[in-house]
Amino acid sequence: MLSIAGSDPSGGAGIQADLKSIAALGGYGMAAITALTAQNTRGVRDVHVPPAGFLRQQLDAISDDITIDAVKIGMLGNAEVIDTVRSWLEKVRPAVVVLDPVMVATSGDRLLEESAEAALRTLLPLADLITPNLAELAILVAAPRAHSWATALEQGKRLAAATGATILVKGGHLDGGACPDALVNAGGLLSRPVVEVAGDRIPTRNSHGTGCSLSSAMATAQARLGDWEASLREVKPWLAGALQASGLLEVGSGSGPINHFHHFHQPEAGGKPVGGAPVPAESAAGDPAAQSAAAELTGKDFAATLRRAAAPDLDAIYRLEFIRGLAAGTLAEDQFAYYLAQDAIYLNGYSRALARASALAPTEAAQLFWARSAQQCLEVESELHRTWLSTRTVERTLGPVTKSYVDHLLAASAAGSYAVLVAAVLPCFWLYAEVGQTLHAQFLAAGAPEAHPYAEWLRTYADEDFAQATREAIAMAGEAGSKASADEQAAMLQAFRHSCRFELDFFDAPRLHA
């Protein structure tokens, strides 16, 4: 994830907010700095724009070496900078481009030279998503600022028609208790021309960097999900939580920053909540209350907690077009081929995570189990993919969901916690086994027709060996959870939930790819 934006030395907006948002949504953040600001929570004091030629060197250095899955563009400053970014975009053509047309800050400070507005308009058609605040939206459509939701939507429609991009119309600056957002597109790229997502206004004075954070989070989610509506429905609750928990940070005397990492467990240090950082598993080691709470959980209890956490994503999996088509045998072959090709790539990374679990395992039995699972992952499951794929021409490029899922597992591997890693790898056992058994039962109920094009896959993932391995993996995760501290249990649950969502996204990726 590449952010092209200005720097905020107080850490709440610009590049700093973008990198926090990207990390919070599971991406790897990179940054090319367009401008240096002197600002804090009370306002912007000065802006310095370095030479545009140096910005181009930053951009070229990144794109010459690193695959960029998505770009977020924020503060650009002047026409020369805008022209530099536009020419680079035309050369590189990133798959996802989110443009936050930073012109006017919430504080009212002007952040773009008026002479540069014409240049900015030439950049808009290169964006996939544009995220103006209401003041910026009004400038871009040459109209008075909207004071009603209906007027804001109408202006969003006009900008979508003029640019061909999807517009995120934000209701945060309107009066009242409601805070809706809407995706607007006149070109048929959404399921309907206007997709509204309702929300409540969060009573807080800490909104510094909200627009930066939202746009970079949307870019990150879109790179993984490939669906703007799904991205907004994931990002909006995260942002609401970040606003709700913003007071914990106690940064500055003006409009403080949001709490980007609110969704990680936050322990107490000296009686005062600590906001904004993932908690290491050892942080509660000296907390008797946390140890006592952890000790009360048995392995079965913690496994049941994980199962409840998986329920929404498992239900959503069964509703997917891919799964329904797979069960009925009506799934398009190109979608199944894409799925298997991505699965073959995924299994290679998954086997490394399993091998790492073996290295971290506390007992010889656990070491052997995870090592055998890593071996079988490559030798048995992958064989089906190689056999089926070898007779067909299939695109084998690493997909965005596959990459994000494997990156998530490798990040869990690198964290050094056996319990968290086991929680992260468990959904690929558990959800796969449940889905496979359900589809196989439907296959048998239909008479196990030999003409079913995916019969071999259905039989493979419903066999008893895989079911037994799944039971062992669940038991080991439950045991690890029962012995973990409260902080580590929270980290396990977070890792497990992320993997469950990736399982859902993985099954839906063939439809989005098609």
Side-chain angles (χ1 to χ4, degrees):
M1 309 298 306
L2 172 63
S3 171
I4 306 172
S7 173
D8 171 12
S10 73
I15 287 289
Q16 287 82 349
D18 291 341
L19 293 176
K20 291 171 186 174
S21 296
I22 291 166
L25 271 291
Y28 173 79
M30 305 178 290
I33 298 177
T34 61
L36 305 175
T37 68
Q39 66 173 299
N40 54 30
T41 63
R42 291 180 290 183
V44 179
R45 298 182 179 183
D46 201 1
V47 177
H48 170 67
V49 180
F54 185 70
L55 171 62
R56 182 59 189 251
Q57 290 186 51
Q58 294 180 69
L59 295 172
D60 287 342
I62 294 170
S63 60
D64 287 349
D65 178 49
I66 301 169
T67 299
I68 301 169
D69 294 311
V71 171
K72 174 268 168 83
I73 303 171
M75 180 182 179
L76 296 176
N78 62 37
E80 189 177 5
V81 169
I82 294 171
D83 291 341
T84 298
V85 172
R86 186 182 66 251
S87 66
W88 179 81
L89 286 175
E90 290 172 341
K91 171 192 171 186
V92 176
R93 296 291 181 182
V96 175
V97 177
V98 175
L99 173 60
D100 184 14
V102 178
M103 306 166 77
V104 183
T106 301
S107 61
D109 295 302
R110 185 83 185 193
L111 298 175
L112 179 70
E113 297 174 2
E114 292 189 38
S115 60
E117 285 181 16
L120 180 63
R121 292 178 190 278
T122 67
L123 189 61
L124 301 182
L126 296 178
D128 299 295
L129 181 72
I130 303 173
T131 65
N133 61 32
L134 292 184
E136 293 158 348
L137 179 59
I139 292 172
L140 292 173
V141 297
R145 176 172 169 168
H147 293 286
S148 71
W149 183 235
T151 302
L153 288 178
E154 185 58 37
Q155 292 183 357
K157 292 176 184 177
R158 288 170 56 188
L159 187 58
T163 62
T166 298
I167 312 301
L168 178 57
V169 180
K170 302 179 289 188
H173 289 172
L174 294 173
D175 295 330
C179 186
D181 291 312
L183 294 163
V184 180
N185 188 283
L189 296 179
L190 302 171
S191 59
R192 47 199 183 280
V194 177
V195 176
E196 293 191 44
V197 179
D200 296 324
R201 185 173 306 283
I202 307 301
T204 178
R205 69 188 179 102
N206 301 315
S207 59
H208 184 54
T210 302
C212 306
S213 302
L214 173 61
S215 56
S216 50
M218 286 293 292
T220 308
Q222 179 67 10
R224 173 163 49 85
L225 301 175
D227 183 301
W228 288 119
E229 180 177 354
S231 296
L232 180 57
R233 293 189 185 280
E234 177 174 301
V235 168
K236 189 172 175 66
W238 166 80
L239 184 60
L243 287 163
Q244 284 180 320
S246 61
L248 296 174
L249 297 179
E250 298 183 8
V251 174
S253 58
S255 175
I258 68 172
N259 192 338
H260 296 84
F261 297 104
H262 64 92
H263 51 316
F264 289 95
H265 182 72
Q266 296 173 346
E268 301 233 336
K272 178 179 175 182
V274 178
V279 178
E282 296 80 7
S283 62
D287 184 344
Q291 292 174 337
S292 176
E296 292 176 1
L297 279 175
T298 67
K300 289 184 178 179
D301 290 338
F302 195 76
T305 298
L306 295 177
R307 181 61 181 80
R308 287 192 295 272
D313 290 315
L314 189 58
D315 291 344
I317 286 172
Y318 286 126
R319 294 195 297 270
L320 292 176
E321 293 178 13
F322 178 89
I323 293 297
R324 294 199 301 266
L326 185 60
T330 58
L331 180 68
E333 185 174 300
D334 62 333
Q335 290 195 34
F336 187 66
Y338 178 81
Y339 163 77
L340 285 186
Q342 292 303 306
D343 205 21
I345 296 171
Y346 165 81
L347 286 171
N348 186 275
Y350 187 59
S351 68
R352 295 199 297 273
L354 295 176
R356 177 62 175 161
S358 175
L360 294 173
T363 66
E364 182 177 348
Q367 290 172 3
L368 290 171
F369 171 77
W370 296 116
R372 283 196 303 269
S373 297
Q375 180 180 357
Q376 291 166 355
C377 181
L378 293 174
E379 292 183 354
V380 181
E381 282 87 350
S382 292
E383 181 60 30
L384 170 64
H385 300 77
R386 287 193 294 268
T387 302
W388 200 91
L389 293 170
S390 65
T391 61
R392 295 163 175 84
T393 302
V394 181
E395 179 186 345
R396 305 193 188 202
T397 304
L398 176 67
V401 173
T402 309
K403 183 179 185 302
S404 296
Y405 197 174
V406 171
D407 286 349
H408 163 61
L409 294 177
L410 296 182
S413 301
S417 167
Y418 169 74
V420 172
L421 178 55
V422 168
V425 301
L426 182 59
C428 190
F429 278 94
W430 204 342
L431 272 63
Y432 244 64
E434 291 209 18
V435 171
Q437 288 170 359
T438 299
L439 297 186
H440 187 250
Q442 294 175 6
F443 173 68
L444 294 178
E450 288 299 325
H452 194 297
Y454 310 121
E456 188 176 1
W457 185 92
L458 295 175
R459 293 190 184 99
T460 298
Y461 283 92
D463 75 2
E464 177 53 31
D465 287 342
F466 186 65
Q468 176 58 30
T470 299
R471 288 191 288 269
E472 291 184 53
I474 294 170
M476 289 185 182
E479 182 180 6
S482 69
K483 296 177 179 178
S485 67
D487 290 343
E488 194 167 25
Q489 287 174 356
M492 289 180 70
L493 188 58
Q494 182 74 18
F496 180 79
R497 284 172 172 164
H498 276 314
S499 292
C500 288
R501 184 56 194 255
F502 279 126
E503 286 293 319
L504 170 62
D505 295 341
F506 198 90
F507 279 124
D508 199 32
R511 175 186 66 85
L512 298 173
H513 177 77

